Amino acid sequence: MNVGACLLVGSLVVAWLAPPLLERAGGRHDPFAVLLAWWAAIIAVISSFFIGVALLLVPESGLHRWVELVAHHCWVAVSHGHLPAQHELIGIAATLTAVVLIVRTVASAVRQRRAQRASREAHRDLLALLGRPRTPNTPSVLHVPHTTPMAYSIGGRDGLVVLSTGVEQLPRAQRAAVLSHEQAHLRGRHHLLVAAAEILAAAMPWVPITRRAPDAVRVLVELCADATAVRSCGAPAVRAALIALAGSPGPAHALSMAGADVPLRLYHLQAGYRTRTAPTRLLLPLAAVAAPALVAIVTAVTFCA
C-alpha cells in the first residue's frame, strides 16, 4: 500500500472516530484546547485527504503529464465511446470528487456570507430604531427595550453586543459578567469560527467530523467566553447570570449568553475552571493534528510488513 492510500485511510478513520472523542473531551478538558483540537483535526483530515488523492493520482512524471492524460482519456471517451482502463477511471472519479468538494465549499461559503450579512444588516437596522443610542464609553453595546433578560453579540467588522433592559435589572456583578461574556465572543472572533464550521458542514454533510463540528464549536466558544468572564467577574456571578438568562431568545446568526448547552456550562462553572499552561493546552491539538499521519503509519506497517 503506497503513501497516498495510507493517508486516505488515516483521514477517513479520523473523520469518523474523532468526533465522539472530541465531544467527550469538551466536558472534561480546557475548552480552548478542545476548540483548537477540533480545528486541528478538521484541517488535518482535509489536508490528508487531498494530499493522499494527489499522491495516488499524480504519477512521478509530473502533474502536467497527468493532466494531459486525463484530458486525453476524457476526449477519447466522448468522441469514440471508448472508456479508459479501471485504474484510470478511479483516478478521474477521485479528481472529480475533489473538484466537487472544493466547489461545494466555495459555494457554501458565498451563500453563508451573503445570508449572514443580509441578516446582520437587517437586524442592525431594527436595533438602531428600537435601541438607545450607544455612549462613547460603550460604543459596541446597544440597549433595547425588553423586560426579559436577554444578551447576545453580533459578529462582523463592527461587532455589537445587544442587551435588553431586563439585563439592567440584574445585580451589578451579573451585568458585568454578561457584558464580559459577550465581549469575549467579539474579541475571540467566535462568530467567525462558528460560521466556518457551518460552511464545512454544508459542503460536506456526509463527513462526521464536519457534520458535527458546528454544534461542538458553538458549545466550546460559549465555554471559552464563560472562562473569560470568570477571570474578570468570578464564577458565582457568571453562574447566576447564566441561570437568570437561561432560555432567553436570540437571533440565529448571533451568539447568545444562554444559547448553547446551559447544563454543561453550569457544570463547568460549578467544578471550576483550571488554569492551564501553554504546553498543556497544546498537547490535545497536537495529538489531533498528528492523528491522520499516525493512522497512516500504522496502516502502512500493518499491510506492508
Side-chain angles (χ1 to χ4, degrees):
M1 184 175 288
N2 62 25
V3 177
C6 292
L7 283 174
L8 284 179
V9 172
S11 67
L12 293 175
V13 169
V14 174
W16 259 259
L17 297 185
L21 298 176
L22 290 171
E23 288 169 349
R24 194 175 306 161
R28 302 178 181 179
H29 298 283
D30 179 8
F32 182 74
V34 180
L35 182 61
L36 288 179
W38 264 98
W39 282 109
I42 290 171
I43 293 171
V45 164
I46 295 174
S47 301
S48 299
F49 176 80
F50 281 105
I51 292 172
V53 169
L55 291 175
L56 278 175
L57 299 182
V58 180
E60 296 180 359
S61 58
L63 177 61
H64 67 283
R65 177 59 180 160
W66 174 78
V67 173
E68 291 176 359
L69 287 174
V70 171
H72 171 73
H73 288 310
C74 290
W75 172 253
V76 170
V78 171
S79 59
H80 302 291
H82 175 67
L83 293 176
Q86 183 178 3
H87 70 281
E88 293 164 347
L89 281 175
I90 294 174
I92 295 171
T95 303
L96 292 176
T97 301
V99 171
V100 167
L101 288 178
I102 294 172
V103 171
R104 283 178 62 90
T105 302
V106 173
S108 176
V110 171
R111 286 196 305 269
Q112 181 92 349
R113 178 175 174 79
R114 287 178 178 174
Q116 287 200 352
R117 183 165 56 185
S119 178
R120 279 200 306 266
E121 290 177 354
H123 196 69
R124 283 174 182 272
D125 292 341
L126 180 61
L127 291 174
L129 293 173
L130 297 177
R132 294 206 307 265
R134 291 172 281 180
T135 65
N137 295 330
T138 57
S140 62
V141 180
L142 187 66
H143 298 270
V144 295
H146 200 292
T147 55
T148 301
M150 181 174 55
Y152 57 87
S153 55
I154 303 173
R157 183 174 301 175
D158 300 319
L160 182 67
V161 174
V162 179
L163 303 177
S164 70
T165 52
V167 173
E168 298 176 10
Q169 308 305 316
L170 299 176
R172 182 176 181 179
Q174 295 181 29
R175 294 200 306 270
V178 170
L179 186 58
S180 176
H181 175 99
E182 295 303 332
Q183 288 177 333
H185 282 318
L186 297 179
R187 287 195 302 270
R189 300 291 190 271
H190 293 167
H191 303 80
L192 182 61
L193 294 177
V194 173
E198 290 174 345
I199 288 169
L200 291 176
M204 294 174 276
W206 57 84
V207 181
I209 196 168
T210 53
R211 183 177 66 246
R212 294 162 72 166
D215 290 340
V217 171
R218 275 189 175 273
V219 172
L220 289 169
V221 297
E222 294 296 343
L223 289 170
C224 289
D226 287 343
T228 300
V230 165
R231 287 193 291 271
S232 60
C233 303
V238 178
R239 180 178 172 83
L242 183 56
I243 293 173
L245 270 70
S248 62
H253 61 272
L255 291 178
S256 173
M257 173 70 180
D261 208 336
V262 172
L264 176 63
R265 293 164 60 194
L266 289 174
Y267 167 78
H268 270 269
L269 291 167
Q270 181 68 29
Y273 285 90
R274 300 176 183 176
T275 303
R276 300 294 202 281
T277 60
T280 305
R281 277 187 162 188
L282 290 176
L283 287 178
L284 192 57
L286 287 175
V289 79
L294 293 176
V295 174
I297 292 172
V298 172
T299 303
V301 171
T302 301
F303 289 95
C304 298

